[in-house]
Amino acid sequence: MKILGIETSCDETGASVVEDGNKILSNVISTSLELHAKTGGIIPEVASRQQIKFILPVIEKALQNAKIKMDEIDGIAVTYGPGLIGPLLIGVETAKTLSYVFKKRLIPVNHLIGHIYANWLEQEKEIKFPSLALIVSGGHTDLVLLKNHNKLEWLGGTRDDAAGEAFDKIGRLLGLPYPAGPKIEELGKLGNPKKFNFPKPMIGSGDFDFSFSGLKTAAAREIQNIEELNENVIADVCASLQQTIVDILVRKTVKASQKFHVKSILLSGGVAANQKLRDELSLEIENCSPRVEAGKLKIDLFAPPKKFCTDNAAMIAAAGYYNNDDVSWHNLTANPQLYFD
Ligand code: KG4
Ligand code: ZN
């Protein structure tokens, strides 16, 4: 089954054709990130205008690259939330129009569930249920239990800022370009992760919630007190900040994996591109997960290739394939506040 995925929830305009939720026939992304880097964050109106400019050429290119015509598509999967209302509307209304004109099934996809399904793209290994997904992006930090496809249970999430937001906001204080996550990872490699002792709010709380806003306040205070913010000090702040965020994410994820006896963990979202998070989670799972037989781990850790961690349409097509409840175009509306049911 060939699904056309469309993603326009924020600053990326994506279209992709994916076969059977796994094989990527094309994946086209156009981004307005450079424009937002200039302003240090996303201006919704600017993002919307760029979406309008890119949406049709991006879809056309995705079909061309997949060497397929609209007639041969089995369904259209589109992100309908959460996200920015302007950009979301452009993807949703385009998908509705295509569905009406070409008489194609229309599958609404929650952007966050889309991030989780990046793990199925080009994946040869079987992902076993129950599975635990950690979604860490610029807007969200959530732990979700997947009992099966279409059977999701939200376990907890951030009460304030998202993990990616903490990277971006503190990066801004350090004068780093938006989005700061990748740069903080790069600079952090040269710094001392123990130099600054940032707070780890809620790390020991009994639930699966997170809180990252206090981290920004603490970092702002530390940065103000630094006499000379030179390269070495910036590297130390980056390394310490990254370590703090990774420690919090790893602790809660491992705790949830034990409580729900999961067979796999799925990392997803932009922050999942962070190598330190991947390495430390993998190490901790190895140390904590019970072994079935010598050398064989009970819990498999999956993390999508880095290019599929950030927003893209292939993950939306994959999610549409596995969670394929279609709707009539009359009944689909963009929902910027969409969360988990
Ligand atoms: O999933 P995504 O592309 O967009 C949202 O839906 O938010 O995530 C973007 C976020 C940004 O906050 C960015 O700083 C962060 O992911 N990010 C990273 C890394 N790459 C992207 N954070 C830490 N380390 C990285 N390597
Ligand atoms: Zn995203």
Side-chain angles (χ1 to χ4, degrees), residues 7 9-10 111-112 115 137-140 269-270 309-312 315:
E7 157 62 39
S9 65
C10 194
H111 178 79
L112 300 173
H115 271 299
S137 70
H140 295 271
C309 286
T310 45
D311 291 351
N312 66 85
M315 67 186 196

Side-chain angles (χ1 to χ4, degrees), residues 119-168:
N119 283 286
W120 269 265
L121 292 170
E122 306 287 350
Q123 181 59 257
E124 284 168 14
K125 202 167 165 183
E126 185 197 356
I127 298 177
K128 293 193 184 123
F129 297 108
S131 181
L132 176 71
L134 172 67
I135 310 167
V136 265
S137 70
H140 295 271
T141 309
D142 294 288
L143 275 168
V144 180
L145 183 66
L146 282 83
K147 293 175 184 161
N148 210 325
H149 296 300
N150 269 323
K151 273 195 139 183
L152 272 63
E153 186 187 328
W154 181 79
L155 302 177
T158 184
R159 295 194 183 171
D160 38 59
D161 288 355
E165 205 174 346
F167 276 116
D168 296 338

Side-chain angles (χ1 to χ4, degrees), residues 177-217:
Y178 174 87
K183 194 76 190 159
I184 289 178
E185 173 170 21
E186 189 191 319
L187 296 173
K189 285 185 188 139
L190 308 168
N192 174 3
K194 295 196 175 131
K195 184 81 182 189
F196 294 92
N197 193 12
F198 293 127
K200 294 177 184 165
M202 300 190 66
I203 191 166
S205 67
D207 52 24
F208 297 110
D209 284 349
F210 301 88
S211 166
F212 291 104
S213 71
L215 199 51
K216 192 193 112 189
T217 319

Side-chain angles (χ1 to χ4, degrees), residues 291-320:
R291 283 162 193 272
V292 186
E293 56 194 64
K296 195 163 178 234
L297 292 177
K298 207 175 178 182
I299 301 178
D300 291 321
L301 175 63
F302 292 88
K306 293 185 183 180
K307 61 180 174 190
F308 300 141
C309 286
T310 45
D311 291 351
N312 66 85
M315 67 186 196
I316 303 302

Side-chain angles (χ1 to χ4, degrees), residues 214 216-226:
K216 192 193 112 189
T217 319
R221 211 179 307 120
E222 290 279 7
I223 292 167
Q224 267 167 12
N225 290 336
I226 296 169

